[in-house]
Amino acid sequence: MNKITKLQQAMPPAMEAALLCDGANRFYLTGMKSSAGAVLVTKKSAWLIIDFRYIEAAEKQVKDCRVVEEKNRFEQIRELLAEEGIKGLSIHNEVVSLGEYRRMEEALAGITLDGSGALSDVMGALRSQKDEDEIDCHRQAQRITDQAFDHICGYIRPGLTETDVAREIGVTMAALGSEDKHFNFIVASGPNSALPHGVATKRVIEKGDLVTMDFGAVYGGYMADMTRTVAVGSVAPEKRAVYETVKEAQERAFACIRPGAVCGDVDAAARDYIYSKGYKGCFSHGLGHSLGVEIHENPRFREGSTDRLRTGTVITVEPGIYLKGRFGVRIEDMVVIRENGFENLTKSPRELIIL
Ligand code: ZN
Ligand code: ZN
C-alpha cells in the first residue's frame, strides 16, 4: 500500500484534510526529494503542490498523488478543499513555526486549522512502522556502513587525524553508493571519545587511544546509524573493562526487545547495568532512537518512556560510558522489531577490535 493511502486510512474521522510542508514528510509521502512544496491529503484525494523548478521531475516521479504547479499556495489549497466541501485542515505542528501558522490562519480564513498535534501523531505512528521496502533500504544503507567500517579498520593508524578518518569514511561510503554527501560524522579519539557528540577535530590519533566512530550511509532516502569504538595499537585493562561493560549493557537491552516491550524498560536494562558497575552519571543520553527518512524519529529508548515497541520500527541500541577528560566507549546497532523479537541490521563485529 502506498504511503498516501496509508495516511488516508490512518486519518481519524474528524480529520478532514492534512497539510504537510516539510521535506521529510514530503519525501515520505511522495517518494520525491525537494526543498519546497506542500502535500495536501483528504480522505479521497491527494495533491503535491510544487513550484516550477520541480514540476517536470514531479510529474515523472510522483505516482500516488496529483501534481499541481504552485502559483499561490494558500489560494490553491482553499480551492482544492472547496471542491470537496472541506472546512477543516490539520497541520503538522512539529514543523510549522508560529509565524507560519499565523500567516496560514490569515490566508485560509474560513477554514478551521487544527494545530493540536493530531496529524503529527498520525504521521509519527505511520513512519514508525516500516514496510519491507523501507526496511530493505535501511538494510542496504547499513550494508554500505558495515563495508565502510571494514575498510576504515585497515586505514586507521597512529599519526592520522580524526578529520582524516572522517573524510575517508565519507569518501568510502559515497563510493559504495551512499546518497549522503555530508560527512559530519563523529570520529572522537583519546580524551575526545569522552564527548558523546564530539565532531572530528585535527587531533592526531596516538597508540593506546580508543577511537569512537559514529556514522551511517543513506540509501533510497533511508538512513543507517552505527557506532563502533576501536583501540589503536593496544588497550589498557580499564579501557577494555569499560568496553565490555558497554557491550554487556547492549546485550541486556537486546534481551528485552520485542513487540509490546516498554521503551523505558529497554533503556533501564542497559542503564541499570552500567550504573551497577560504578558508572552512574557516565551514560548521559538515551539508549536509542528510531530512524527512517530522518535520523531521529520516535519512539525512543529513554528513561521513563512509556511508549511500547511495535513490529516494523527501526531503532538504534547505543549504550555508552563517558569518563570526562579521559576516554569513552559507545556501541550502536540498528535493529528492526520483528514479531518474534528483533532483527539486527548491523553486521559489523561488536567485539573490541585492536588495530
Ligand atoms: Zn549514531
Ligand atoms: Zn544514533
Side-chain angles (χ1 to χ4, degrees), residues 147-351:
Q147 286 176 348
F149 177 68
D150 188 50
H151 168 80
I152 212 70
C153 285
Y155 174 84
I156 293 175
R157 59 183 184 277
L160 292 176
T161 64
E162 293 169 358
T163 46
D164 289 332
V165 175
R167 195 179 315 110
E168 185 69 12
I169 292 173
V171 167
T172 305
M173 292 205 301
L176 289 166
S178 173
E179 294 154 12
D180 189 7
K181 301 290 183 287
H182 305 288
F183 303 152
N184 302 325
F185 309 123
I186 294 171
V187 176
S189 65
N192 290 349
S193 61
L195 306 167
H197 289 103
V199 291
T201 70
K202 291 283 175 205
R203 184 184 180 275
V204 175
I205 294 168
E206 296 167 15
K207 188 168 182 286
D209 279 351
L210 290 180
V211 180
T212 295
M213 292 167 280
D214 187 344
F215 60 102
V218 181
Y219 187 91
Y222 287 77
M223 300 184 175
D225 190 7
M226 173 173 87
T227 307
R228 285 295 181 268
T229 302
V230 299
V232 180
S234 62
V235 62
E238 187 193 6
K239 289 177 180 169
R240 179 178 285 283
V242 167
Y243 189 96
E244 294 306 325
T245 304
V246 173
K247 184 165 165 282
E248 175 64 22
Q250 196 192 35
E251 269 151 30
R252 298 212 171 192
F254 285 152
C256 306
I257 295 178
R258 66 183 72 87
V262 175
C263 289
D265 294 349
V266 180
D267 179 281
R271 188 172 304 279
D272 291 352
Y273 179 74
I274 286 172
Y275 290 180
S276 77
K277 291 289 167 181
Y279 298 108
K280 199 163 192 344
C282 303
F283 175 24
S284 45
H285 53 79
L287 178 70
H289 54 90
S290 298
L291 66 167
V293 298
E294 289 183 292
I295 191 72
H296 293 124
E297 298 188 356
N298 292 316
R300 303 181 191 220
F301 291 136
R302 61 178 160 208
E303 279 185 282
S305 168
T306 54
D307 289 338
R308 285 182 186 274
L309 289 175
R310 296 191 303 169
T311 56
T313 294
V314 174
I315 190 163
T316 68
V317 184
E318 49 181 307
I321 293 176
Y322 311 95
L323 303 178
K324 207 170 168 213
R326 300 183 59 219
F327 66 91
V329 170
R330 179 167 66 256
I331 307 172
E332 175 179 25
D333 284 29
M334 178 173 72
V335 307
V336 53
I337 311 305
R338 296 294 195 186
E339 238 147 68
N340 56 356
F342 69 93
E343 173 191 346
N344 195 339
L345 299 175
T346 307
K347 305 299 177 198
S348 292
R350 295 188 299 116
E351 291 69 38

Side-chain angles (χ1 to χ4, degrees), residues 42-270:
T42 69
K43 296 249 168 49
K44 52 180 190 185
S45 316
W47 300 268
L48 170 63
I49 305 168
I50 197 158
D51 69 61
F52 68 96
R53 294 171 298 166
Y54 294 106
I55 197 78
E56 231 182 280
E59 279 167 351
K60 272 195 202 121
Q61 275 182 51
V62 176
K63 304 276 178 252
D64 305 323
C65 62
R66 274 147 63 194
V67 174
V68 180
E69 185 171 342
E70 182 164 344
K71 304 284 187 202
N72 178 336
R73 179 183 296 184
F74 294 121
E75 204 42 53
Q76 288 170 294
I77 289 171
R78 186 203 288 280
E79 281 168 21
L80 292 169
L81 292 180
E83 278 173 29
E84 295 188 12
I86 287 173
K87 300 248 178 313
L89 179 61
S90 288
I91 306 297
H92 194 289
N93 71 342
E94 297 281 328
V95 286
V96 173
S97 71
L98 192 55
E100 282 175 273
Y101 191 80
R102 294 246 162 90
R103 280 193 293 281
M104 245 185 247
E105 267 184 326
E106 219 168 281
L108 293 170
I111 291 166
T112 310
L113 295 189
D114 173 13
S116 68
L119 178 58
S120 308
D121 292 346
V122 168
M123 288 309 300
L126 280 184
R127 282 173 50 180
S128 72
Q129 285 196 283
K130 272 80 178 172
D131 61 31
E132 288 305 322
D133 289 343
E134 294 177 284
I135 292 167
D136 206 50
C137 288
H138 279 295
R139 188 178 283 113
Q140 297 299 339
Q142 184 54 45
R143 194 179 48 81
I144 292 169
T145 308
D146 284 327
Q147 286 176 348
F149 177 68
D150 188 50
H151 168 80
I152 212 70
C153 285
Y155 174 84
I156 293 175
R157 59 183 184 277
L160 292 176
T161 64
E162 293 169 358
T163 46
D164 289 332
V165 175
R167 195 179 315 110
E168 185 69 12
I169 292 173
V171 167
T172 305
M173 292 205 301
L176 289 166
S178 173
E179 294 154 12
D180 189 7
K181 301 290 183 287
H182 305 288
F183 303 152
N184 302 325
F185 309 123
I186 294 171
V187 176
S189 65
N192 290 349
S193 61
L195 306 167
H197 289 103
V199 291
T201 70
K202 291 283 175 205
R203 184 184 180 275
V204 175
I205 294 168
E206 296 167 15
K207 188 168 182 286
D209 279 351
L210 290 180
V211 180
T212 295
M213 292 167 280
D214 187 344
F215 60 102
V218 181
Y219 187 91
Y222 287 77
M223 300 184 175
D225 190 7
M226 173 173 87
T227 307
R228 285 295 181 268
T229 302
V230 299
V232 180
S234 62
V235 62
E238 187 193 6
K239 289 177 180 169
R240 179 178 285 283
V242 167
Y243 189 96
E244 294 306 325
T245 304
V246 173
K247 184 165 165 282
E248 175 64 22
Q250 196 192 35
E251 269 151 30
R252 298 212 171 192
F254 285 152
C256 306
I257 295 178
R258 66 183 72 87
V262 175
C263 289
D265 294 349
V266 180
D267 179 281

